[in-house]
Amino acid sequence: MACSPETIEKIAALLKGTNLQDLLSPQHVVILKDSATVEQSLKTLASKRILSSPVVAVPDVDAQEKGLAGNHQILGFLDVRDVLSSFLAELDGCGDLPKMKMLQKMRLLEEQGSSFATTALKNLKVFGGDGDFLHTSEAAQTSVLDVIVNGLLNPGDRGWHKGKHIVTGTVHRVAIYDSQFRITNIISQTDIIKFISMNKDELGELASKTAAELGWASRPVVTVGPDVSAIEAMLLMNERQISALAIVDGVGKIIGNFSVSEMRTIMAEHFGALALPVGEFLALEHGTEFQGYSHIHEHEVVQSKGHKFITDRIARARPRTPGEEVGQNLILVTPQATMVDIVDKIVRHRIHRVYVIDDQERPVGVVTCTDVVRLIIGLVQPDALPASRPGSAKQPKQQPQVPQEEAEQQQHDQQQAETMQQ
């Protein structure tokens, strides 16, 4: 189904006619120093319930004594994904993790984790890619459309980037700084989604289009079983350059979501826990016991009438809440969910993704904040869509790439834009 030219024009007018400053509100911006350790930084992120923070360089002692300290230099953003990628880079050459027994794996992770936790941010192997920077004088003249296209989807095109934090892919946030290089505000993709939700009456027929019609219900979802170790799940996320995996049981039903945000709560003494099966790791993170080991997953047994009778009886006695096996409350939608319903769920539950499931609760798609932003821009300015999903600014050597996935994303965006404008 297509969007009318009137709707596209209306959405474009909304984005062009709204100034970035209209979206900004007073904030206390958390700043990390490049001399802070990984453990100190993760504790800060966890206590503030955030996934990233700007990092500034601390003037050295000699400069301070000579009165040359000046203002702290902004180096970029530290994102939890940077921490994950850096830790995985430290494990390179330590052996074949998937083939190790759990105890051997746990001891290795404890040893490497203790050392890694004391690493200063400035010495991380991956750092600073997921964010852009904009001076307050430019912010006053920047529209919402402009910050999405040039700040979030195509950072660097306007020359906002300087120094070490230059990136080539999509980013999730833009920091506003003043003439004293003080960061006064941060605008994120989540803020853009909130803006879209608040103005849903301006979306016309786009608001009522379903996940199936938008192509969100027929995209491969990267999944792992609950028995895969948490560290192997993280290796897969890093290899595929994604921020989350769906945890599925033996018949493909989604039972959890494992994302890089789990890394935020890892302290030096906890790195060994990454050797645990991801289902158990998530359950421990959410203060419960993993229920999966009591479940039968053999295909022949699961498909039997006897097993169906027992599971149906259990379901009748107590309805299952998606994610309860690992202590989560998953927010799921069907292919018939509308675009505005999905956006509202993202905003209301303060989440970054919503899984699309079939009638057997198997994931058939996932919608992220980036997907919603790309959908909107694909309508009003399709030539501004980047060719691929986000990448990292500074990758470790021999970082796995996924050109096929990037090509599929580019093709999907192009087909979607063409369909919506017909």
Side-chain angles (χ1 to χ4, degrees):
M1 296 178 65
C3 276
S4 66
E6 291 77 16
T7 292
I8 296 174
E9 185 177 340
K10 197 173 184 180
I11 296 173
L14 172 67
L15 299 179
K16 292 176 182 177
T18 305
N19 191 278
L20 171 60
Q21 290 191 325
D22 295 336
L23 273 63
L24 303 180
S25 57
Q27 289 182 346
H28 171 67
V29 180
V30 177
I31 304 293
L32 297 173
K33 296 180 180 179
D34 68 342
S35 57
T37 66
V38 167
E39 182 167 27
Q40 291 170 339
S41 302
L42 288 176
K43 283 182 177 179
T44 299
L45 296 179
S47 66
K48 302 299 181 181
R49 298 184 62 82
I50 55 178
L51 295 177
S52 68
S53 175
V55 179
V56 298
V58 180
D60 59 39
V61 176
D62 290 339
Q64 292 178 358
E65 291 178 350
K66 296 177 182 178
L68 301 175
N71 297 302
H72 290 182
Q73 179 188 359
I74 301 172
L75 297 182
F77 275 90
L78 175 77
D79 186 88
V80 175
R81 187 169 168 178
D82 295 335
V83 178
L84 167 61
S85 297
S86 294
F87 180 59
L88 295 178
E90 294 292 332
L91 296 177
D92 189 31
C94 291
D96 192 345
L97 284 171
K99 293 183 179 180
M100 291 183 185
K101 295 195 178 292
M102 185 185 297
L103 185 58
Q104 180 186 7
K105 197 181 303 182
M106 190 171 289
R107 287 173 175 168
L108 170 65
L109 293 174
E110 286 176 349
E111 179 182 340
Q112 294 295 322
S114 296
S115 174
F116 178 70
T118 62
T119 302
L121 298 186
K122 59 187 173 185
N123 295 325
L124 289 180
K125 295 184 178 181
V126 181
F127 165 62
D130 197 0
D132 197 5
F133 295 82
L134 181 65
H135 192 271
T136 50
S137 62
E138 292 181 285
Q141 306 169 28
T142 298
S143 69
V144 171
L145 178 63
D146 201 15
V147 78
I148 293 174
V149 171
N150 297 309
L152 297 174
L153 296 184
N154 298 288
D157 281 5
R158 264 182 65 170
W160 291 353
H161 281 281
K162 298 183 187 301
K164 296 168 120 180
H165 56 271
I166 295 176
V167 301
T168 56
T170 301
V171 299
H172 291 85
R173 54 196 65 86
V174 174
I176 315 299
Y177 67 96
D178 62 19
S179 297
Q180 302 299 313
F181 292 95
R182 294 173 301 198
I183 297 176
T184 59
N185 223 299
I186 296 175
I187 186 82
S188 67
Q189 284 192 10
T190 300
D191 295 316
I192 301 299
I193 301 303
K194 290 179 182 177
F195 173 74
I196 292 171
S197 179
M198 290 174 59
N199 292 276
K200 54 190 172 186
D201 292 341
E202 303 295 315
L203 300 179
E205 65 267 31
L206 177 63
S208 61
K209 290 191 180 295
T210 67
E213 291 172 326
L214 296 172
W216 289 343
S218 56
R219 294 159 60 181
V221 178
V222 183
T223 66
V224 295
D227 54 338
V228 172
S229 71
I231 190 65
E232 289 174 71
M234 289 182 169
L235 282 166
L236 180 58
M237 283 193 289
N238 196 54
E239 177 185 335
R240 300 295 292 272
Q241 296 191 17
I242 55 178
S243 299
L245 298 168
I247 311 302
V248 298
D249 67 10
V251 294
K253 179 185 294 186
I254 186 168
I255 62 172
N257 173 65
F258 185 63
S259 70
V260 293
S261 62
E262 307 300 337
M263 192 75 180
R264 179 176 56 186
T265 59
I266 295 291
M267 301 303 152
E269 64 271 22
H270 299 153
F271 276 90
L274 293 173
L276 294 172
V278 66
E280 186 174 347
F281 179 87
L282 279 177
L284 290 173
E285 285 289 297
H286 292 88
T288 187
E289 292 184 6
F290 178 51
Q291 302 174 26
Y293 293 130
S294 63
H295 295 178
I296 299 173
H297 297 314
E298 286 82 357
H299 183 75
E300 294 79 5
V301 178
V302 170
Q303 297 299 321
S304 69
K305 292 182 179 180
H307 183 269
K308 186 176 188 301
F309 170 77
I310 294 297
T311 54
D312 286 351
R313 184 176 181 181
I314 293 173
R316 287 195 298 271
R318 182 181 62 80
R320 171 184 176 271
T321 300
E324 67 177 20
E325 292 89 346
V326 296
Q328 293 180 325
N329 182 19
L330 295 178
I331 306 302
L332 310 172
V333 298
T334 68
Q336 288 70 48
T338 65
M339 180 267 195
V340 74
D341 286 340
I342 294 173
V343 168
D344 285 346
K345 286 182 183 296
I346 290 175
V347 173
R348 184 166 67 254
H349 296 282
R350 298 182 179 182
I351 53 180
H352 297 95
R353 66 191 57 80
V354 173
Y355 287 100
V356 185
I357 58 170
D358 63 14
D359 56 2
Q360 300 296 313
E361 293 188 12
R362 295 172 300 197
V364 294
V366 59
V367 185
T368 66
C369 293
T370 302
D371 292 320
V372 176
V373 171
R374 292 173 73 112
L375 170 66
I376 298 295
I377 299 304
L379 281 176
V380 302
Q381 197 171 325
D383 59 342
L385 285 175
S388 63
R389 283 181 178 269
S392 297
K394 184 180 174 186
Q395 302 289 352
K397 292 181 180 180
Q398 298 180 343
Q399 175 72 15
Q401 300 297 320
V402 284
Q404 181 179 357
E405 187 173 281
E406 293 180 353
E408 289 174 353
Q409 177 66 30
Q410 183 179 13
Q411 182 180 24
H412 176 272
D413 288 332
Q414 291 174 343
Q415 290 176 344
Q416 183 172 265
E418 291 170 359
T419 301
M420 300 293 284
Q421 294 187 40
Q422 286 178 354

